[in-house]
Amino acid sequence: MNEQISRRRFIGMTAAAGLFTIVPSHAISRLGHIAPSDKLNIAGIGIGGKGRVNLNNMKSENIVALCDIDSEYAKGCFGDFPNAKRFVDFRKMFDEMGKSIDAVVIATPDHTHAVCAIPAMQLGKHVYVQKPLTHSVYESRVLLEASRRYKVVTQMGNEGHSSDSVSEVCEWIWSGAIGEVTRVDAWTDRPIWPQGLTRPEQGMWVPQHIDWDLFIGPAAMRPYHRAYHPWDWRGWWDFGTGALGDMACHVLDVVFSAMKLGHPVAVEASSTAINTESAPVASTIQYDFPARPKAGKINMPPVSVFWYDGGLLPRRPEGLPDGVEMGTGRNGVIFHGTKGTLVCGNYGENYMLLPESKFKNAPKPAATLRRVGMSHEMDFVRACKDSPENRVLPLSNFEYSGPLNEMVVMGNLAVRLQSLNRKLQWDGENMQITNLSDNDEIRITNGIPRQEPRQVTLNAKQAAAEFVRHNYREGWSLSF
């Protein structure tokens, strides 16, 4: 089968579909007819892991199609929804069932999120895409633009963004309780999968239940090895985004919201040894942001956000009682204000305002943000069913999660270019580093065994351009 995801192909499909319009049941019901069902028809792509969880959180709807490149890994989800039609190739699924699908859940490895989501949106399907939204900065921008063009409902799978705790932390900070914030620390214990690895020297026979070519997708072909699939792809640059990409869409979500962040203007990183193939075991990253418009009662001066992973931690904040862990231990955030400190876990959980003596009896700020009142997945379902003219979008739609994801994954630029020993100046609007010269070079260990030289010298500008916008394998594109 031709692997090209072409604009012509999908426009042709949608044009043909327009001749034989099938109106979704929920749309019929709003026209005053009695609908046989008011449920969405949902398809899943990448259903062996988190996708299975997402679909089960939507099981009140019609799960009509399941797609995975590994029939063995997906066996549990197939059992959950025995009436759903099964596919290996998502493009074949769209060819055969495009008219009868309302929404698509995408939970494939990071590097194939965008190539699955774009054709779904071209067909007018609402899309729920697991975090990180995409593998690269450019892909995030494309998904945002596509969501605007095709006017579909979107949601990134950072499920804690729909929690009340994120809203409450925002309201505390905007109330001025801890004053102006100029520094934020955030951390995770990830990776809990291998990183800092070199490529396996020998490949393995591909098991019959895996379509390896489809797993590789737009990345450069390499031999199959169980070091990549089904779970450890997260630590490999070609497929995942390391601990930062995997967890920062969770941990930094409350920071992005409360600080009303956008594009950083500069970033720098320090990490354990990295190579051409794999993310580091541990890293620290500093993002610098300019001043933003006032939020609530406080000004938003320039702020630096410090990220720590791999077991690295910020200093324990003054006033945190002995024996009380920072955040939720494995993940957390510290907002340093001019009048106090707010410490919380992932998604604002278990937040504390310090010093305790000052805030013990402080009245809770008024609720000004929308409370979702249902699961992240079902809020997506709700929005899909809303009529377009009255639709309230889910909170992590691509207008929000696209810029959040851009911020997150561009941090890996600093990690991969750190041998330059400089702070990288970032032009977010144009997605490029502005303080690289044509002669700048980076040196990095070659992560492919037995290949010379062991220390690879790369042109920094060319490398950065590839990290921002990948060159896809022949037959794959993001054109829309």
Side-chain angles (χ1 to χ4, degrees):
M1 181 178 178
N2 183 5
E3 292 180 326
Q4 178 71 31
I5 302 176
S6 69
R7 183 167 182 259
R8 177 179 298 174
R9 176 178 173 218
F10 281 98
I11 288 176
M13 290 169 58
T14 53
L19 298 176
F20 304 95
T21 303
I22 298 177
V23 180
S25 58
H26 58 271
I28 295 174
S29 68
R30 287 189 174 87
L31 294 176
H33 302 286
I34 298 174
S37 171
D38 195 35
K39 296 182 178 182
L40 288 184
N41 289 339
I42 300 175
I45 307 174
I47 52 146
K50 191 66 174 178
R52 182 185 182 187
V53 175
N54 296 142
L55 290 171
N56 271 287
N57 286 340
M58 303 178 186
K59 64 183 179 182
S60 60
E61 309 305 302
N62 296 324
I63 310 303
V64 297
L66 300 173
C67 180
D68 203 287
I69 59 93
D70 186 340
S71 60
E72 187 67 24
Y73 191 53
K75 185 183 294 185
C77 196
F78 290 153
D80 294 339
F81 306 102
N83 296 324
K85 191 165 183 180
R86 303 176 188 180
F87 295 89
V88 176
D89 191 326
F90 68 93
R91 297 160 302 184
K92 185 177 180 181
M93 181 182 75
F94 289 148
D95 284 342
E96 292 188 15
M97 297 189 65
K99 296 178 183 178
S100 57
I101 294 170
D102 298 314
V104 182
V105 173
I106 298 167
T108 60
D110 302 348
H111 73 300
T112 48
H113 284 185
V115 295
C116 292
I118 288 294
M121 287 191 282
Q122 286 178 312
L123 290 172
K125 311 309 174 187
H126 308 301
V127 291
Y128 183 107
V129 183
Q130 255 307 323
K131 59 78 203 168
L133 184 62
T134 64
H135 194 246
S136 71
V137 172
Y138 174 75
E139 290 170 338
S140 290
R141 189 69 59 87
V142 169
L143 258 60
L144 173 56
E145 292 173 353
S147 71
R148 292 170 175 171
R149 176 177 298 184
Y150 299 112
K151 297 180 172 57
V152 295
V153 176
T154 60
Q155 180 90 306
M156 181 171 75
N158 55 334
E159 59 274 4
H161 189 64
S162 291
S163 67
D164 289 355
S165 56
V166 168
S167 298
E168 290 173 8
V169 168
C170 290
E171 289 159 357
W172 271 111
I173 290 176
W174 299 342
S175 75
I178 66 169
E180 295 179 0
V181 177
T182 58
R183 177 181 176 126
V184 181
D185 293 316
W187 68 93
T188 182
D189 67 340
R190 273 28 169 216
I192 54 175
W193 51 84
Q195 289 192 181
L197 304 172
T198 56
R199 188 183 294 203
E201 288 196 46
Q202 300 293 328
M204 295 179 171
W205 290 108
V206 181
Q208 291 186 344
H209 55 84
I210 295 174
D211 188 318
W212 185 240
D213 187 72
L214 281 174
F215 174 90
I216 292 291
M221 179 54 73
R222 66 173 69 193
Y224 164 79
H225 196 282
R226 61 172 172 257
Y228 309 127
H229 174 76
W231 204 67
D232 291 340
W233 51 263
R234 290 166 174 80
W236 299 95
W237 287 129
D238 273 7
F239 312 128
T241 48
L244 175 70
D246 186 79
M247 283 304 296
C249 288
H250 289 313
V251 181
L252 290 182
D253 174 51
V254 68
V255 181
F256 196 81
S257 296
M259 294 289 94
K260 291 189 172 290
L261 300 178
H263 300 303
V265 292
V267 63
E268 59 183 323
S270 176
S271 78
T272 55
I274 63 169
N275 59 59
T276 57
E277 300 296 302
S278 181
V281 173
S283 66
T284 61
I285 301 170
Q286 177 181 341
Y287 295 92
D288 294 333
F289 295 88
R292 287 88 59 218
K294 187 175 182 179
K297 296 181 180 180
I298 65 165
N299 295 318
M300 289 283 180
V303 62
S304 292
V305 176
F306 294 83
W307 169 262
Y308 309 79
D309 62 41
L312 301 177
L313 294 169
R315 290 185 60 183
R316 189 176 176 86
E318 186 176 346
L320 186 64
D322 292 344
V324 176
E325 66 178 2
M326 297 193 301
T328 51
R330 298 174 66 180
N331 307 286
V333 175
I334 306 170
F335 294 91
H336 300 273
T338 55
K339 298 179 181 178
T341 304
L342 191 150
V343 185
C344 63
N346 202 13
Y347 291 127
E349 298 167 345
N350 303 322
Y351 63 82
M352 296 179 60
L353 279 73
L354 304 173
E356 285 187 301
S357 58
K358 179 178 179 179
F359 296 104
K360 185 176 182 180
N361 298 314
K364 196 172 184 178
T368 58
L369 296 174
R370 178 172 82 89
R371 303 307 198 255
V372 172
M374 62 185 74
S375 73
H376 198 60
E377 292 92 344
M378 288 308 295
D379 195 40
F380 167 75
V381 169
R382 173 206 56 75
C384 294
K385 291 182 177 182
D386 283 348
S387 60
E389 63 271 16
N390 297 317
R391 181 172 286 149
V392 176
L393 293 176
L395 293 182
S396 200
N397 66 83
F398 292 176
E399 293 289 343
Y400 170 82
S401 56
L404 165 61
N405 196 75
E406 281 193 33
M407 176 200 72
V408 167
V409 297
M410 67 84 57
N412 277 328
L413 297 180
V415 172
R416 302 181 76 174
L417 299 175
Q418 65 184 281
S419 67
L420 290 169
N421 292 315
R422 76 181 67 151
K423 182 175 286 190
L424 303 176
Q425 305 299 316
W426 180 246
D427 176 358
E429 189 65 30
N430 294 302
M431 299 178 287
Q432 64 181 8
I433 299 168
T434 60
N435 61 332
L436 294 179
S437 73
D438 293 336
N439 297 322
D440 278 331
E441 294 180 335
I442 59 171
R443 292 186 61 80
I444 187 169
T445 301
N446 191 340
I448 303 178
R450 300 186 182 181
Q451 289 210 3
E452 299 296 339
R454 295 301 297 142
Q455 284 290 316
V456 181
T457 300
L458 303 173
N459 178 274
K461 258 191 171 180
Q462 294 173 2
E466 161 62 24
F467 301 155
V468 170
R469 180 178 180 176
H470 303 318
N471 290 305
Y472 286 173
R473 184 164 64 116
E474 185 177 356
W476 296 84
S477 73
L478 271 189
S479 59
F480 73 100

